[in-house]
Amino acid sequence: MSQEIKEREPMFSPKNMRLITNPFNKENPITVQVLGICSALAVTVKFEPAFMMALSVIAVAAIGNTIISVLRNTIPSRIRIIVQLVVVALLVILVDQILKAFSYDVSKQLSVFVGLIITNCILMGRYEAFAMQNKPWPSFLDGLGNGFGYGLILLLVAAFREIFSPSGSLTLPFFGTVKIVPQAFFDMGYVGNGMAILPPMALISVAIIIWIQRSRNEDLQEN
Amino acid sequence: MELFNLFIESIFIENMVFMYFIGMCSYLAVSKTVKTSIGLGIAVVFVQIITVPVNFLVNKYFLVAGALSWLGPEYADVDLGFLSFIMFIAIIASMVQLVEMAVEKFSPALYNSLGIFLPLIAVNCAILGGSLFMQEREYETLAEASVYGLGSGFGWMVAIVIVAAIREKITYSNVPKPLKGLGITFIITGLIGIAFMSFMGIKL
């Protein structure tokens, strides 16, 4: 124990804020760290389930990161993976039950993917890489930031796919369906892209996002 | 015939990677060479054949509503369904550990080739995904569940081997710089996915 009194770091110091803002761009969990792709692609057919999924992951990442970080000195390193799995599984069961209780339709659409949050690599990755070494407050922010970074990509892909799909509208949570492509276009013979609602389009739209991001930021390019 | 149909269906039509994007993380990380991807593929098939039937039995005799009625009539309306996530992941983790120990004991040669992949698999979503789909689709018999486990594992292996072979070749082509590596792999997977959609509707 060192005797010197460390000056308390302010809660929203620039260093802590960076934990939230970095995952939006140069440390994005999906496009840069390549974590948590499975669920990101599968739930993006429509905007609303994607939004719910993003909320669930943000909640599990932030709360789980805090719990792991509080426990970090008491977890024996040999069984840490099991402890992390138990924490995630508990939180995911809670999220699943809440979804079933309050928005049953969305929970049906998400089907197995709520359960798959357990093996979502973002969570285990962040617990292992960040929460095991850091104090609860930064860990909470880190979980929040990574959840937001994940959610951002999810919402972008979902919006892209739903706007270009044959319906040409966007189902916003709490607002209902909003028509994006005006009816006049359809009258003139515009046809939505049926491909957009099929699975391969999710991969291609993530690839486009990666392309745009990496051509703007050359540090991220692989050689 | 029914079972064979299910087997073909779970490999080609409901392919884990191309239709549901399950197990993408290890799919992207390990598909750089064909050799390692075959190793991981075999390990996934192996673990899938074991965990899906075991989870099927656990689900049928412990977890679904009314499953505990074999204990006595007073347990008939117990529903432990909410425990399924934690049960499945615990079973998968322990099964992987057991399989690893058994393989190490009885077949050191196989252990040397699969060894590093087995621990990775406990957190591979393909395995948990297989069990969750098994639960959601309510397969009736143990045979159906086992065949589904085998088929979905095999489908995952087919996917990773195909993409690894393409990635080995694509290192020689001139891909736009920002797309190199991750981006082009996504696009390749999307294109193979489109190709796999032509299997849709096949019934034997």
Side-chain angles (χ1 to χ4, degrees):
Chain A
M1 282 300 225
S2 67
Q3 288 294 313
E4 74 179 294
I5 301 161
K6 246 170 76 179
E7 200 176 326
R8 270 184 69 99
E9 209 181 336
M11 273 188 126
F12 290 101
S13 62
K15 200 173 121 232
N16 282 345
M17 286 317 283
R18 231 171 294 137
L19 291 174
I20 288 196
T21 53
N22 266 357
F24 279 109
N25 191 9
K26 64 173 191 253
E27 280 176 19
N28 189 288
I30 293 180
T31 58
V32 181
Q33 301 177 44
V34 204
L35 296 175
I37 312 245
C38 331
S39 53
L41 297 169
V43 299
T44 50
V45 180
K46 279 200 153 62
F47 195 80
E48 198 183 4
F51 181 77
M52 286 300 185
M53 185 73 184
L55 274 190
S56 319
V57 171
I58 291 170
V60 177
I63 302 172
N65 246 356
T66 320
I67 295 177
I68 293 288
S69 161
V70 169
L71 295 175
R72 70 186 187 281
N73 294 324
T74 50
I75 302 175
S77 70
R78 298 185 61 136
I79 59 161
R80 65 179 193 284
I81 303 276
I82 302 281
V83 176
Q84 289 163 4
L85 272 177
V86 170
V87 170
V88 194
L90 281 177
L91 291 170
V92 170
I93 288 175
L94 282 181
V95 165
D96 184 44
Q97 299 291 326
I98 292 173
L99 272 183
K100 273 194 183 134
F102 292 106
S103 69
Y104 189 73
D105 295 340
V106 174
S107 131
K108 269 275 155 277
Q109 281 172 28
L110 290 176
S111 76
V112 299
F113 292 98
V114 179
L116 286 176
I117 299 179
I118 297 176
T119 47
N120 191 322
C121 351
I122 292 185
L123 303 166
M124 298 291 283
R126 292 327 291 175
Y127 294 174
E128 184 73 16
F130 197 90
M132 290 298 284
Q133 282 106 34
N134 289 283
K135 293 215 180 80
W137 176 246
S139 305
F140 175 74
L141 293 179
D142 181 76
L144 216 56
N146 276 285
F148 282 140
Y150 169 88
L152 176 74
I153 302 288
L154 224 64
L155 295 186
L156 276 180
V157 175
F160 180 80
R161 286 178 74 185
E162 210 180 347
I163 290 172
F164 286 100
S165 76
S167 72
S169 52
L170 205 56
T171 44
L172 294 172
F174 315 119
F175 290 102
T177 312
V178 180
K179 262 213 150 349
I180 301 288
V181 181
Q183 188 58 40
F185 278 38
F186 286 103
D187 295 340
M188 285 192 297
Y190 168 81
V191 181
N193 187 352
M195 198 74 204
I197 51 172
L198 295 173
M201 200 59 192
L203 290 157
I204 292 172
S205 28
V206 173
I208 293 172
I209 292 175
I210 292 176
W211 195 350
I212 295 171
Q213 190 191 15
R214 294 200 175 174
S215 49
R216 288 167 57 95
N217 190 344
E218 295 194 352
D219 303 339
L220 298 175
Q221 292 176 4
E222 297 169 40
N223 35 35
Chain B
M1 206 58 210
E2 196 91 314
L3 289 178
F4 188 65
N5 199 14
L6 178 65
F7 180 67
I8 297 294
E9 196 179 292
S10 51
I11 294 180
F12 292 108
I13 303 171
E14 304 195 318
N15 188 293
M16 284 269 202
V17 174
F18 300 130
M19 289 297 135
Y20 298 106
F21 316 109
I22 289 177
M24 284 296 276
C25 306
S26 35
Y27 168 86
L28 291 170
V30 186
S31 64
K32 290 208 172 91
T33 58
V34 173
K35 204 165 159 258
T36 47
S37 63
I38 289 179
L40 184 68
I42 292 174
V44 166
V45 176
F46 204 67
V47 175
Q48 197 79 310
I49 310 175
I50 297 168
T51 54
V52 174
V54 171
N55 280 337
F56 172 79
L57 291 177
V58 169
N59 187 42
K60 189 163 184 188
Y61 293 106
F62 290 99
L63 296 176
V64 278
L68 286 171
S69 52
W70 55 271
L71 272 179
E74 67 269 31
Y75 293 101
D77 51 358
V78 178
D79 181 1
L80 293 179
F82 66 94
L83 282 180
S84 50
F85 294 160
I86 208 161
M87 279 299 267
F88 286 175
I89 196 76
I91 286 171
I92 288 167
S94 48
M95 274 297 154
V96 168
Q97 201 77 48
L98 269 180
V99 167
E100 195 182 351
M101 288 194 293
V103 171
E104 190 178 11
K105 179 94 174 51
F106 296 113
S107 163
L110 184 64
Y111 181 76
N112 283 336
S113 54
L114 288 188
I116 48 164
F117 297 120
L118 280 173
L120 268 179
I121 279 180
V123 287
N124 185 335
C125 7
I127 308 293
L128 184 64
S131 295
L132 289 176
F133 273 127
M134 176 274 296
Q135 186 194 32
E136 197 189 73
R137 293 178 189 162
E138 295 168 350
Y139 288 126
E140 298 280 319
T141 58
L142 185 59
E144 269 184 356
S146 322
V147 167
Y148 175 70
L150 179 66
S152 58
F154 203 71
W156 197 87
M157 180 178 164
V158 168
I160 195 173
V161 173
I162 291 178
V163 96
I166 297 179
R167 279 183 85 173
E168 271 188 5
K169 293 279 177 275
I170 213 154
T171 44
Y172 305 112
S173 13
N174 187 13
V175 179
K177 253 199 151 168
L179 268 181
K180 260 192 183 156
L182 192 59
I184 197 71
T185 314
F186 269 101
I187 291 183
I188 292 170
T189 313
L191 294 179
I192 306 175
I194 295 174
F196 263 65
M197 277 165 58
S198 57
F199 291 117
M200 239 178 227
I202 288 181
K203 264 229 157 357
L204 293 173

